[in-house]
Amino acid sequence: MSGELQVGGGAGGVAASYEDMLSQADVLDLAGDDLRQVGTNLAGMIGEGDLWQASLLCPGEVAAVQVSIVSASSGPDGALWAGGEVEVTARYLRVAVDVYQLADATLAGAEEAFWTAGGWTFGAVLPVAAVGAAGVLVTSPGLLAMLLLADKDDALNEVQNLIYDDPWLLEALTRMAPGAVQGTSFTLAALLPAGPLILSGLTGGRWPAGDYTTSVAGLAALLRQAGHLQDTGSFSVSPADDPPQAVSLDADHAVQTIFEQQGALGTQDGRVQIITVDGPDGPSYVVQVPGTQDWSTQRGDNPVDLTTNVALMAGDDTVMADLVADAMREAGIPPGAPVMLTGHSQGGITAMTMAADPDLRAEFNVTSVVTGGSPVGRIDVPDGVTVLSLEHTQDVVPMLDGADNPDRPEWTTVRRELSDAEGSVDGQRGPAGAHSVPNYASTGALVDGSDDSSIERWREDNQQFFGSGQAQQYQIAAQAG
C-alpha cells in the first residue's frame, strides 16, 4: 500500500538476529564455564580435612553428604554435566548461524548467476532478433508505415506507465543488463576475425565478466577508448560566496531536513554543503553531496556528472570524492569529530564510497551515511558506520547496481511505494517523479515519525548529529589549463 514504510536490516533485521544468537552462545559458554567451575569446586570438597574428621564422629551422615556432593558436582543432574550441556547448546547455536549464513550466501550467489546467465542469453540472441525484426518490417510496408506514423509521445507515456506500475520488470532488466551488454557485444565481435579477443583487450581484460562491478568497469574502459567517461580534470574547492545559513536538524525532523537541504543544494551546479552541528560534546558535521547534474559522456566544468556515475558503479576512485574530501579539509573538520555523509542519487554513491575508503576514515571520523535513491547495495562499508538508505519502489535508480542492500545490523533500508500523484510529473507517472528529492524528503518525514525498532536504533546511534547548525556551501570550480 502506498505511503507505508517497509523497513529492512538494522537492529530489527535478520543479521541482527544472527548476532543475537551468537551473543547468546557467548553467554551460554560463560555460563557453562561457571557451572563446570562450580562442579569442580564441589568435587574438591570431598577431600577437605574437616569433612574427613567429621566422618569419625558421624560416618553415616558424612557419607550421605559426600554422595550429595558427588551428585551435585558430577552426577547426571550435576553442575559438570549441566555445564557441558550448556556449552553444547552454545555450539549448536553457532553452527545454526553458520548454516543460515551459508544458505543466504548460496541463494544470493545462485540468484546472481541466474540473472547473469539470463542476461548473456538475452544479449546473445538480441542481434539475431533485431535482424529478424528488420526483415519483417522491410517485407511488411503496412506494418512499417504504422510504426512510423504512431504517436511517439503516447508510446513513451505507456512505457513509463508500465515501468511505474510494474517496477519488477525494470529491476529484472537492470540485473540482466551487464550480461546482456556483454552477450550482444561478443556476438557482434564474433563476426570479425579474432573479434572476441580484440573486444576483451579493449576492455582492459575485464570482459568476459560474471560479476556486476567488473562488467561495468569493462564497459567504462571500452567507452574510454572512444574518449568518453574519462574521469579527469583539474578542479579547486573554496567557500561559496553565500554566507552560512542556520539549519535546524532536530531529531523530530532530521531526515526530512537532510533531503530538503539536498534539494536546495542541487539547484546550483558543483556545490558541496557542510553543516556544523553544535553538540554538548563538541561539534559534529553533516557533509552533503549533490546528485547528477551533467549527463554528458564527456567531462566538462562540473564533475557531478555521468562520468562520475559510471566510475562509481565500476568501483573506481573518483575526482568527485577527492573534491568532497577537499571541502571537508577546507571546512576544518578536526580529527575525531563525528562526520555524517549524505547524498541523493549519485551523491549517495559518493558518500558510501568515501565511507568505505580506509584512507579517508583515517583522516576523518566518518560514523554515519544517509542515502536517498542511490544504488549502493554493493558497497561494503565497515562496522561502526551506520547507514540509512531510503528507496522508492518505483524509483529505477536504486536498482541500477543489480543488488539488494545487505541485511546488516548497522544498515537500515527503508522502502516506500509512492502514490500516482506523488510519482507524476506534469500529469505523467514515471521514474522521474519517483526519483525526485521532494518525494524523498516526504519519505524522510515518515521516517522521522516512525517507531520501527531499526529506525529508532538508528536515531539513537546518530543523536550527535541532531541540533542547531550552520550550513556552509563549497563551490567546485574548473581550473584553467
Side-chain angles (χ1 to χ4, degrees):
M1 182 179 297
S2 64
E4 293 184 356
L5 300 182
Q6 303 169 21
V7 182
V14 173
S17 298
Y18 290 163
E19 287 204 349
D20 288 342
M21 292 172 68
L22 292 174
S23 297
Q24 185 63 37
D26 291 339
V27 171
L28 289 173
D29 256 343
L30 291 174
D33 290 342
D34 290 342
L35 284 169
R36 291 167 68 89
Q37 185 61 51
V38 168
T40 300
N41 293 339
L42 283 171
M45 292 175 61
I46 295 176
E48 289 187 359
D50 290 344
L51 195 60
W52 285 107
Q53 290 177 12
S55 67
L56 298 175
L57 300 175
C58 44
E61 288 82 353
V62 170
V65 170
Q66 289 175 326
V67 169
S68 298
I69 290 174
V70 170
S71 177
S73 63
S74 56
D77 297 322
L80 290 174
W81 278 91
E85 289 175 346
V86 169
E87 289 176 344
V88 168
T89 302
R91 292 190 186 97
Y92 279 143
L93 274 177
R94 292 193 179 95
V95 170
V97 171
D98 289 341
V99 171
Y100 289 146
Q101 290 178 328
L102 177 61
D104 290 343
T106 301
L107 289 172
E111 183 181 22
E112 179 100 355
F114 169 80
W115 289 117
T116 300
W120 271 89
T121 302
F122 175 79
V125 303
L126 187 60
V128 178
V131 171
V136 170
L137 291 176
V138 169
T139 58
S140 305
L143 179 59
L144 179 60
M146 184 174 65
L147 289 175
L148 291 174
L149 295 174
D151 190 318
K152 306 300 187 299
D153 290 337
D154 282 348
L156 179 60
N157 291 342
E158 286 303 317
V159 169
Q160 292 195 74
N161 286 332
L162 178 64
I163 292 173
Y164 192 85
D165 291 333
D166 299 291
W168 63 269
L169 290 172
L170 199 58
E171 184 169 9
L173 288 175
T174 58
R175 294 195 176 218
M176 290 194 300
V181 172
Q182 291 183 79
T184 299
S185 300
F186 276 101
T187 297
L188 295 175
L191 301 174
L192 303 173
L197 186 60
I198 294 172
L199 178 60
S200 180
L202 291 174
T203 64
R206 295 177 178 87
W207 283 5
D211 69 281
Y212 192 98
T213 302
T214 306
S215 299
V216 175
L219 177 62
L222 184 62
L223 293 174
R224 286 172 190 145
Q225 300 285 341
H228 298 277
L229 303 180
Q230 296 179 346
D231 191 20
T232 57
S234 180
F235 299 90
S236 62
V237 178
S238 60
D241 293 336
D242 309 330
Q245 300 292 318
V247 175
S248 176
L249 282 175
D250 63 281
D252 293 337
H253 304 93
V255 183
Q256 178 184 1
T257 303
I258 284 172
F259 284 101
E260 287 175 345
Q261 290 293 312
Q262 289 287 159
L265 178 64
T267 61
Q268 300 188 69
D269 286 348
R271 288 197 176 190
V272 175
Q273 177 165 283
I274 299 179
I275 304 173
T276 304
V277 180
D278 297 324
D281 299 322
S284 59
Y285 299 85
V286 178
V287 180
Q288 302 196 271
V289 189
T292 312
Q293 297 173 333
D294 184 350
W295 291 96
S296 171
T297 61
Q298 293 184 316
R299 173 59 50 83
D301 292 339
N302 184 4
V304 191
D305 60 1
L306 181 61
T307 294
T308 294
N309 272 333
V310 176
L312 288 167
M313 299 304 291
D316 296 334
D317 295 332
T318 63
V319 169
M320 185 61 195
D322 292 339
L323 292 170
V324 176
D326 286 343
M328 295 166 68
R329 298 181 188 105
E330 186 75 21
I333 298 178
V339 175
M340 172 188 284
L341 301 172
T342 79
H344 170 256
S345 194
Q346 179 193 121
I349 317 174
T350 300
M352 286 287 282
T353 57
M354 293 179 69
D357 181 355
D359 292 334
L360 184 92
R361 294 197 316 276
E363 183 177 358
F364 298 104
N365 182 28
V366 177
T367 63
S368 183
V369 181
V370 176
T371 70
S374 303
V376 293
R378 296 180 183 273
I379 303 174
D380 186 20
V381 295
D383 293 339
V385 178
T386 66
V387 180
L388 177 65
S389 294
L390 275 53
E391 299 180 355
H392 295 146
T393 304
Q394 302 97 330
D395 186 357
V396 174
V397 178
M399 306 176 191
L400 293 179
D401 59 354
D404 294 327
N405 292 345
D407 187 318
R408 291 174 49 181
E410 294 179 307
W411 189 332
T412 302
T413 299
V414 180
R415 303 194 80 204
R416 182 167 79 95
E417 179 181 344
L418 300 178
S419 66
D420 287 352
E422 289 175 305
S424 297
V425 176
D426 296 329
Q428 173 61 52
R429 295 178 303 160
H435 190 59
S436 71
V437 185
N439 274 329
Y440 276 101
S442 297
T443 301
L446 295 176
V447 171
D448 289 326
S450 173
D451 60 359
D452 179 88
S453 60
S454 294
I455 294 174
E456 287 192 333
R457 178 59 180 272
W458 175 86
R459 209 175 282 133
E460 291 171 4
D461 291 340
N462 288 275
Q463 290 182 8
Q464 65 270 33
F465 299 107
F466 304 148
S468 300
Q470 291 285 320
Q472 173 67 61
Q473 293 189 358
Y474 295 83
Q475 182 68 57
I476 298 171
Q479 294 181 323

